[in-house]
């Protein structure tokens, strides 16, 4: 792990859903999710990430969610997703996050027209120049359709205010994973943390030297996520790997059903943490047979306890 100056961007950052009911944010359900995460002892909470459906919400909805997240998180640091198609909208979201009391912002380069590396550099430069909030670089090519290179990481990480880089999961063996992390670490300042995403690959990423896990399941099943993070960061790679392997049926559902969002929403609904059909339309969520599969996995793994 690098010599990080800010430990706030290490450990488990839990990404909660933003549940909807009748096409409106269910503020009670969202507040309860955040309170649950804080009580579980996660290291930080990232509201309005991809799991939080940020791209589907209005500026006003996102501002309200940011305020609720900070209010309900207690002493737990809260990061707010601020990505939007236009830089002016991003800056509005950043200002609203700052007014809400956020500890940092998560910025993805959203796009409709293809972005260039220079476009993305300009975006991050504008945000870091206009706000004092620390920034997490959100590299999520599956949803944004923009792929970062190591050179681009380096260009952005040099900017004052960049605190962390959230990298995609690495589908490789432990040696290749470690090599990938080392290459990223070699081009960015030591104070910028590296956070892994892609829950099935989190244990290997942490074991290979990532400082944080930006976690989907952490937002709904925080205790299970902590059982992976804590041993990994303590140097107990085998224990972290074993805890991740125990959740292999869950990772398999993510792969089978096209990603984590619909599965995690079904889990939250099954556990009574979110209302039925909590995702923003036109996302339909899982069908009844798929939901039964999810419920069976949750029960078999005893994840409801």
């Amino acid at each position: 792990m690098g010599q990080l100056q800010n430990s706030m961007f290490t450990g488990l950052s839990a990404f909660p859903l933003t549940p909807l009911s009748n096409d409106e944010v269910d503020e009670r359900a969202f507040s309860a999710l955040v309170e649950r995460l804080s009580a579980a002892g996660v290291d930080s909470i990232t509201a309005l990430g991809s799991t939080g459906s940020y791209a589907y919400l209005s500026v006003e909805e996102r501002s309200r969610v940011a305020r609720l997240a900070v209010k309900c998180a207690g002493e737990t640091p809260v990061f707010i997703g601020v990505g939007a198609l236009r830089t002016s909208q991003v800056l509005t979201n950043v200002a609203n996050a700052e007014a809400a009391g956020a500890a940092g912002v998560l910025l993805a380069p959203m796009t409709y027209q293809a972005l260039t590396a220079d476009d993305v550099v300009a975006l991050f430069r504008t945000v870091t120049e206009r706000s004092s909030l620390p920034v997490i670089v959100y590299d999520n090519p599956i949803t944004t359709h923009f792929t970062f290179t190591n050179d681009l990481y380096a260009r952005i990480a040099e900017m004052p205010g960049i605190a962390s880089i959230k990298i995609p999961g690495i589908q490789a063996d432990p040696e290749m994973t470690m090599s990938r992390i080392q290459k990223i670490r070699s081009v960015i300042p030591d104070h910028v943390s590296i956070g892994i995403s892609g829950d099935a690959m989190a244990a290997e990423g942490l074991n290979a030297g990532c400082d944080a896990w930006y976690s989907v399941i952490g937002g709904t099943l925080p205790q299970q996520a902590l059982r992976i993070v804590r041993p990994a960061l303590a140097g107990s790679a085998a224990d972290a790997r074993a805890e991740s392997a125990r959740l292999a049926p869950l990772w398999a559902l993510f792969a089978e059903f096209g990603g984590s969002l619909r599965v995690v929403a079904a889990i939250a609904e099954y556990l009574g943490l979110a209302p039925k059909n909590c995702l923003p339309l036109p996302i339909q969520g899982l069908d009844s047979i798929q939901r039964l599969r999810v419920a069976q996995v949750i029960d078999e793994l005893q994840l409801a306890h």
Side-chain angles (χ1 to χ4, degrees), residues 87-108:
T87 299
S88 60
Q89 295 166 341
V90 171
L91 292 174
T92 297
N93 292 333
V94 171
N96 289 339
E98 193 163 5
V105 295
L106 174 74
L107 178 55

Side-chain angles (χ1 to χ4, degrees), residues 82-91 94 106-111 115-131 135-138 144 146 148 152 155-156 159 162:
V82 295
L85 289 175
R86 294 174 60 192
T87 299
S88 60
Q89 295 166 341
V90 171
L91 292 174
V94 171
L106 174 74
L107 178 55
M110 289 181 66
T111 184
L115 294 176
T116 69
D118 288 342
D119 293 334
V120 174
V121 167
L123 170 65
F124 280 91
R125 180 177 294 115
T126 299
V127 170
T128 55
E129 289 177 349
R130 302 282 187 91
S131 174
V135 176
I136 303 166
V137 178
Y138 190 5
T144 65
F146 180 85
F148 284 76
L152 186 54
R155 292 174 67 187
I156 294 172
M159 300 176 190
I162 300 298

Side-chain angles (χ1 to χ4, degrees), residues 212-289:
W213 176 16
Y214 293 109
S215 174
V216 174
I217 67 158
T220 300
L221 300 170
Q223 296 294 352
Q224 286 70 31
L226 286 166
R227 292 189 189 111
I228 295 172
V229 168
R230 294 294 182 251
L233 294 183
S236 299
D239 291 341
R241 196 173 286 123
E243 287 294 335
S244 181
R246 192 177 77 85
L247 299 180
L250 183 57
W251 310 147
L253 290 179
F254 287 5
E256 181 178 353
F257 296 147
S260 59
L261 178 61
R262 291 173 173 84
V263 176
V264 169
I267 292 172
E269 293 171 16
Y270 179 63
L271 298 179
L273 302 173
K276 296 298 182 184
N277 303 313
C278 71
L279 294 175
L281 294 174
I283 303 173
Q284 295 290 322
L286 301 184
D287 63 30
S288 59
I289 295 175

Side-chain angles (χ1 to χ4, degrees), residues 194-211:
I194 300 173
I196 191 72
S197 61
D199 285 7
M201 294 157 275
E204 291 303 337
L206 292 165
N207 289 341
C210 285
D211 309 290

